[in-house]
Amino acid sequence: MTLGTALHAAFLEPGEMLGRFSVYDGTRRGAKWEAFEADNAGRTILTLAQSATLTGMIEALRSHSAVRPLVSSPVGTEVSAIGEVSGLLMKGRADLLSRDGTLVDIKTTRAGDDRTLSNAIHDYGYAVQAYVYRRLFNAGRFVFVFVESAPPHDVRCVELSENWQDIGRQEALS
């Protein structure tokens, strides 16, 4: 979760990184650690390894040819919406809303192969999320951008198939 939160901030709102995150190079015990932790109260502390991983993931996202057009003209990042979906009041927070109305949600993954991503879509309810968010934001498109947390940090942009969208609708309505 820490890496995913840092990824969102670093990629979508890089100006907020300094105020929200710090990097510690050392063992998380002893007086040095306690002093660092106290000096960085309220910030999420990343290890040096997490920081290096984050840098690789950011570089992979920035250099990916399918990601650049999705994020090049945002209306906003971390945009919230509240509305009624299927008779229930719901709230969503989109990672990025582009000028053409596309919603973009960035996810970390251990692997970007079809099977791993299909399992993640099922296990974490991403199809339901896409269904609800498309209605809350009146969006024509919803694109998941998956980035691997280990080198080479492959990136996959996924728009859910009609079958997945039907599953998301059915699960949201049940």
Side-chain angles (χ1 to χ4, degrees), residues 34-101:
E34 290 170 7
F36 185 85
E37 192 176 34
D39 289 344
N40 291 279
R43 291 188 177 140
T44 300
I45 299 173
L46 302 174
T47 65
L48 201 56
Q50 287 173 317
S51 180
T53 297
L54 181 62
T55 299
M57 294 169 76
I58 296 297
E59 288 174 3
L61 286 168
R62 287 184 179 152
S63 65
H64 195 275
S65 61
V67 173
R68 282 193 308 267
L70 289 172
V71 301
S72 65
S73 59
V75 170
T77 57
E78 300 298 334
V79 181
S80 296
I82 299 172
E84 194 172 297
V85 178
S86 304
L88 296 173
L89 188 62
M90 296 195 182
K91 178 181 179 182
R93 189 164 176 92
D95 290 346
L96 185 138
L97 177 59
S98 70
R99 294 207 187 283
D100 71 358

Side-chain angles (χ1 to χ4, degrees), residues 2-22:
T2 300
L3 189 59
T5 301
L7 176 66
H8 281 90
F11 186 66
L12 299 170
E13 302 174 304
E16 296 205 8
M17 281 300 291
L18 289 177
R20 292 178 53 195
F21 298 89
S22 296

Side-chain angles (χ1 to χ4, degrees), residues 105-130 142 144-149 156 158 160 164 167-168 171:
D105 195 71
I106 299 172
K107 303 287 190 193
T108 60
T109 184
R110 62 179 172 75
D113 60 278
D114 289 342
R115 182 176 181 182
T116 299
L117 296 184
S118 287
N119 287 340
I121 290 165
H122 175 268
D123 294 345
Y124 299 119
Y126 294 159
V128 175
Q129 177 191 2
F142 187 103
F144 289 105
V145 176
F146 291 94
V147 58
E148 292 179 342
S149 55
R156 294 267 313 266
V158 176
L160 298 184
W164 272 119
I167 290 169
E171 288 184 14

